[in-house]
Amino acid sequence: SAIVLGLILYHQKRINDSTLLACLAYLAITSWALFSPSHTFPYGPPNEWIDAAQILSIALSASALVPQLKQNFDRRSSGDYSP
């Protein structure tokens, strides 16, 4: 996902100091979460945080569909393509 985000920013010519800092922070946090298990390295994220993040991810992914569903309902369409 970091590579896709970087490509999007590059092609939209929106790379500046704040986006670069946000990308670096994203990479640092995900690296920390992926490579420091709490049972071997005490500063890694606890399993409860990972569980909560996964639940939040499911909720965000599901709620991202709501505007599309509303637009399809308003247009009385089955949802072919809508910008």
Side-chain angles (χ1 to χ4, degrees):
S1 65
I3 293 170
V4 172
L5 179 60
L7 287 172
I8 290 170
L9 290 173
Y10 174 75
H11 287 290
Q12 290 183 351
K13 296 180 178 30
R14 293 188 179 193
I15 297 177
N16 56 27
D17 293 341
S18 63
T19 56
L20 183 63
L21 183 63
C23 286
L24 291 174
Y26 173 78
L27 286 174
I29 290 170
T30 54
S31 296
W32 171 72
L34 287 173
F35 300 116
S36 60
S38 59
H39 65 279
T40 58
F41 189 64
Y43 300 110
N47 289 334
E48 293 82 17
W49 290 10
I50 294 173
D51 294 342
Q54 288 175 338
I55 291 169
L56 181 63
S57 171
I58 292 168
L60 286 174
S61 296
S63 66
L65 297 174
V66 171
Q68 183 69 47
L69 293 172
K70 182 186 179 314
Q71 186 178 39
N72 291 343
F73 180 77
D74 292 342
R75 291 184 176 179
R76 307 274 190 257
S77 86
S78 61
D80 299 329
Y81 171 75
S82 55

